[in-house]
Each structure stands twice: as C-alpha cells, then as structure tokens.
Amino acid sequence: MPQVFPQNHDPDGESSVTGLVHSVESCGTVDGPGIRFVLFLSGCSLRCRYCHNPDTSYVRRGRLRSADDVLKEIARYRDFLQAAGGGVTLSGGDPLFQPDFAGAVLKGCRKLGLHTCLDTSGHLGVNAGEEMLADTDLVLLDIKAWNPKRYRALTGGELRPTLEFAERLASLRKPVWLRYVLVPGVTDNLEEIEELSRHAALLGNVERVDVLPFHQLGRFKWDELKLDYILKDVPEASAELAEQVRGIFRRGGFPDCVH
C-alpha cells in the first residue's frame, strides 16, 4: 500500500486541507524554470544515503498549515514569479507523501495562474491522481540509481514504482526534467548511466537532464539528527566525472544537460 500522511480533506475546495510544511524558499532558482516559490513538505518514503535534507524526511519536523494559508502566502509573490518566468515547486521530503495537501496547493496555484512543478522520487507515484497531475505543469523526477539492487541499497526502497510512474507520465505526455545524483563509487557506473539515458530517451517526454554532483554540504544535518551517515568518507564528485556523465546524456539526446 502507498504511504500517505493522514490529512483533512474538503470535498468542496482546498481551503481546509492541512499538511505538514517543513520550510519555504521564496526565490528558488534550481527547482524548475525561472525563479520559484519552493514549498518543502515533510515526510518521505525513502531513506536515501546521500540525502542533503534528512530533516524533511520525518513528519514530526513539520509545521501544520492549511492549504489556504499557504496559498495566501504564495499569492503575495504571484506577480513577481510570473514576471520572472517562474512559479511554484512542491518539494520535500516527497510531496507525494502528503497527496491531499499537495494536490490542494497545486490546484490553488493553477487558479492563481502560476506554473506548477512537482519534485519527487516517483516512489509514491501511485499517490498522484489524475487531478493532481492535471494541475502539474512539470515533474522533476529523481531517479536515484538504475540498477535495482543498487537502488534498494541506496534508498531502502524499490526502483520499479519510480519506473512505472515515469511510464505513466510519458503516456500523459507530461513534461519531465530528470535528476540524477552522481555519487562516486555508488552511482557512477557508466554502463548503467548509459542504460538510464537510453530509457529516458525512449520515454519521449524527458525535456532535460540535471546531473547533480554529490557533495557533503548536508552532513551536519545527519549529525544534528544523530543519524549514521555512511557516506561521510565518500569524496565529492569531481568536475571531470560530472562532465563525463553529462556527455553520456548529451549523446543520448539531451543537449540541455546542465548543473
């Protein structure tokens, strides 16, 4: 069964739906096109070894807010976001851990005339209903690893739900930006990356690929949470390795392979 955080739901509108919000960023520049209002929701079904926001994985670290309250805050930035070619991105954690709340916020953003983006691992893709996806302009899809065993070791979850969600998005022709975190010695197998590149090209709806080099900037959060950070001795991905991997995706048909 898909994981879901229990929420209040108003069948007549989004105003009374509540959810747990970890934090917000009013001028995000790396979570979709343009300048974006990024809403970080609490809760995630995976426990990625390299997660740079492990504090967002736990719902107890969120603040309960109503969708109406969040949308009023977003509305104050509407003109600025539209002028900057941006919009609103729901991130986390994973927003699909709180599908009622995420759906209510996305619907409200559409009513405000704002571009909407869903940043997810796709592991809980079954929680994204037709209405939610209709209110989503772009999906940032994080594929953590291509090898199923490696994916399980890295995240604690299964790869198949993400691939099924990707196939569903392709059938809907929903635009996707693929994200791939490059971890030396973990997700840097070039043959597997080539297979991922070929699969992404076959989907037909992946507009862009972001290769994100692993870094240690989030390590202090693991220490604060007293969590065992097993990647503490893993080196950051070199610029040379990152460019080599970007080259694979470019040759696979993704010239707009950035970061």
Side-chain angles (χ1 to χ4, degrees):
M1 292 293 290
Q3 292 177 270
V4 172
F5 178 73
Q7 297 171 303
N8 299 320
H9 182 63
D10 177 5
D12 299 318
E14 65 272 354
S15 62
S16 69
V17 183
T18 58
L20 289 168
V21 176
H22 177 271
S23 56
V24 301
E25 183 179 356
S26 58
C27 292
T29 58
V30 296
D31 297 296
I35 297 177
R36 309 193 68 80
F37 185 103
V38 186
L39 186 71
F40 295 92
L41 304 188
S42 298
C44 185
S45 60
L46 300 178
R47 292 294 180 266
C48 299
R49 299 295 191 181
Y50 58 65
C51 182
H52 64 283
N53 285 322
D55 46 329
T56 66
S57 297
Y58 302 92
V59 292
R60 67 176 181 270
R61 300 185 69 84
R63 182 164 70 92
L64 191 66
R65 297 184 63 179
S66 70
D68 184 60
D69 175 50
V70 170
L71 289 166
K72 286 178 180 177
E73 181 178 0
I74 292 172
R76 296 200 295 268
Y77 295 88
R78 178 174 60 180
D79 292 346
F80 167 72
L81 294 171
Q82 289 176 330
V88 176
T89 297
L90 270 59
S91 188
D94 193 319
L96 295 182
F97 197 85
Q98 301 188 59
D100 289 349
F101 184 65
V105 173
L106 289 168
K107 179 174 290 296
C109 289
R110 294 284 289 200
K111 291 179 180 178
L112 290 170
L114 290 168
H115 180 277
T116 56
C117 182
L118 187 66
D119 181 8
T120 176
S121 71
H123 186 248
L124 296 177
V126 293
N127 289 349
E130 292 182 8
E131 188 174 3
M132 177 192 289
L133 293 179
D135 290 326
T136 302
D137 293 308
L138 173 69
V139 176
L140 304 182
L141 185 61
D142 301 310
I143 295 187
K144 315 292 184 178
W146 182 244
N147 180 291
K149 291 183 179 179
R150 200 182 311 281
Y151 188 98
R152 189 182 310 114
L154 183 63
T155 70
E158 301 298 321
L159 173 61
R160 189 63 218 168
T162 293
L163 299 183
E164 290 174 351
F165 184 55
E167 291 161 4
R168 183 176 163 213
L169 294 173
S171 70
L172 295 172
R173 298 186 179 179
K174 183 67 61 176
V176 166
W177 287 8
L178 178 66
R179 288 181 154 185
Y180 187 80
V181 179
L182 181 61
V183 186
V186 182
T187 64
D188 60 349
N189 183 294
L190 300 184
E191 290 183 0
E192 293 176 8
I193 293 170
E194 288 180 353
E195 291 178 9
L196 172 58
S197 177
R198 287 194 291 271
H199 183 78
L202 288 173
L203 289 172
N205 63 325
V206 178
E207 297 182 340
R208 151 175 162 165
V209 176
D210 290 348
V211 176
L212 308 175
F214 169 75
H215 58 69
Q216 294 281 358
L217 298 179
R219 179 178 173 179
F220 75 96
K221 297 181 182 180
W222 289 73
D223 294 336
E224 288 177 350
L225 294 170
K226 295 181 170 50
L227 298 174
D228 183 22
Y229 187 47
I230 66 171
L231 300 184
K232 59 181 178 294
D233 296 322
V234 174
E236 298 189 351
S238 68
E240 292 77 13
L241 176 60
E243 188 57 29
Q244 185 178 12
V245 171
R246 291 189 188 104
I248 291 174
F249 284 107
R250 290 190 184 109
R251 291 191 297 274
F254 301 101
D256 192 12
C257 186
V258 297
H259 285 93

